[in-house]
């Protein structure tokens, strides 16, 4: 299985400030056949089900504010929040679907300072 | 409006078989590209992908659980059933079902509320 490693594990943030979360995969998630990088990001707010933020590296899901952006290449990826809001707290997960089975990172817990 | 909801027992004994039902609305499993997946999350831990059933009745299972997990469907009732045999306390988790569309993939775009299953004698 492809191993996904996120950092940091915990991220205290200040509202209005930027934040970024790193995700690294044990194998490249780039598919040269179609040019896609198969990396998604999910946010699980406290007490809720996960919700989709970003799919296929950098496409924002419907309704996701443009404060959120995904990027990276190969095995190194980043989720960026330009200006953190209080509603952004929760645990963020990256997920690869380049190789079966899909696998998740261990999560990054974002908290307000 | 797509919705999914998991249902089933909250407590099962070790060695028993777990049966969870995902009842969905707002889409059809007969539609090309649609997939209904199952994932789980042990308390305080990360997400784990378990299995998926596709519109064409193809099914794929996580290799680590392939011998224990089975998916079946009742298309007329808009349900996908997850069966997991030989339950163990380490299988204690919240189980989620999800929707995805593989003709124009946009992630696991809808999730159920989750069903917490505790395995204990």
């Amino acid at each position: 299985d492809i191993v996904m490693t996120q950092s940091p594990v915990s991220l205290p943030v200040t509202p209005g400030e930027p934040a970024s979360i790193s995700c690294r995969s044990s194998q490249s998630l780039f598919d040269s056949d179609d040019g896609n990088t198969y990396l998604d990001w999910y946010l699980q707010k406290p007490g809720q089900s996960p919700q989709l933020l970003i799919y296929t590296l950098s496409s924002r899901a419907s309704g996701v504010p443009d404060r959120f952006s995904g990027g990276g290449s190969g095995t190194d990826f980043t989720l960026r929040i330009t200006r953190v809001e209080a509603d952004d707290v929760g645990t963020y997960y990256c997920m690869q679907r380049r190789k079966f089975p899909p696998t998740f990172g261990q999560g990054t817990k974002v908290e307000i300072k | 409006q797509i919705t999914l909801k998991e249902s089933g027992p909250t407590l099962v004994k070790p060695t028993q078989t777990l049966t969870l039902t995902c009842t969905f609305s707002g889409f059809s499993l007969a539609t090309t590209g649609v997939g209904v997946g199952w994932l789980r999350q042990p308390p305080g831990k990360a997400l784990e992908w378990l299995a998926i059933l596709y519109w064409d009745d193809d099914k794929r299972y996580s290799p680590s659980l392939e011998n224990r997990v089975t998916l079946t469907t009742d298309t007329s009732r808009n349900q996908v059933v997850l069966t997991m045999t030989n339950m163990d306390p380490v299988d204690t988790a919240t189980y989620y079902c999800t929707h995805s569309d593989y003709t124009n993939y946009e992630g696991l775009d809808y999730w159920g509320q989750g069903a917490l299953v505790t395995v204990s004698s």
Side-chain angles (χ1 to χ4, degrees):
Chain A
D1 295 3
I2 293 179
V3 177
M4 306 296 290
T5 304
Q6 291 181 231
S7 61
V9 172
S10 177
L11 181 61
V13 297
T14 300
E17 294 295 306
S20 66
I21 298 169
S22 174
C23 175
R24 180 167 293 178
S25 58
S26 61
Q27 301 176 33
S28 175
L29 303 186
F30 177 72
D31 187 337
S32 58
D33 289 340
D34 59 17
N36 287 325
T37 298
Y38 290 101
L39 190 281
D40 300 342
W41 289 94
Y42 295 85
L43 164 61
Q44 186 172 30
K45 295 182 178 181
Q48 296 185 18
S49 302
Q51 60 188 77
L52 175 67
L53 292 177
I54 303 287
Y55 61 93
T56 317
L57 183 64
S58 59
S59 296
R60 269 187 304 276
S62 177
V64 173
D66 60 7
R67 302 183 289 104
F68 292 89
S69 64
S73 64
T75 61
D76 288 294
F77 310 99
T78 303
L79 176 71
R80 288 190 170 85
I81 310 173
T82 52
R83 294 173 305 280
V84 174
E85 296 184 1
D87 190 51
D88 299 337
V89 299
T91 302
Y92 291 76
Y93 294 96
C94 58
M95 183 197 86
Q96 71 79 24
R97 57 185 185 91
R98 175 66 180 88
K99 292 285 178 65
F100 184 80
T103 49
F104 290 85
Q106 80 276 24
T108 294
K109 189 173 185 178
V110 171
E111 302 169 308
I112 298 295
K113 282 183 181 177
Chain B
Q1 172 76 358
I2 290 176
T3 64
L4 306 101
K5 186 174 182 179
E6 306 85 354
S7 59
T10 58
L11 179 66
V12 298
K13 290 181 167 51
T15 76
Q16 286 187 337
T17 295
L18 170 69
T19 300
L20 288 174
T21 301
C22 175
T23 303
F24 58 85
S25 64
F27 67 94
S28 171
L29 254 179
T31 301
T32 298
V34 169
V36 173
W38 284 90
L39 297 87
R40 69 180 178 180
Q41 184 175 39
K45 296 189 177 181
L47 295 157
E48 178 185 12
W49 188 92
L50 300 179
I52 188 167
L53 184 144
Y54 295 103
W55 78 98
D56 58 359
D57 206 38
D58 187 24
K59 301 158 192 172
R60 299 203 74 182
Y61 301 101
S62 173
S64 64
L65 292 167
E66 192 161 19
N67 293 336
R68 299 176 53 210
V69 172
T70 304
L71 293 183
T72 56
T73 182
D74 184 338
T75 307
S76 62
R77 296 171 63 186
N78 287 352
Q79 294 180 329
V80 175
V81 177
L82 171 78
T83 303
M84 185 178 293
T85 61
N86 195 25
M87 293 291 284
D88 182 273
V90 300
D91 297 313
T92 294
T94 297
Y95 288 75
Y96 297 99
C97 60
T98 64
H99 166 277
S100 47
D101 183 346
Y102 291 90
T103 54
N104 185 24
Y105 181 80
E106 295 186 354
L108 306 179
D109 50 6
Y110 294 92
W111 293 62
Q113 65 187 24
L116 176 60
V117 177
T118 300
V119 184
S120 175
S121 55

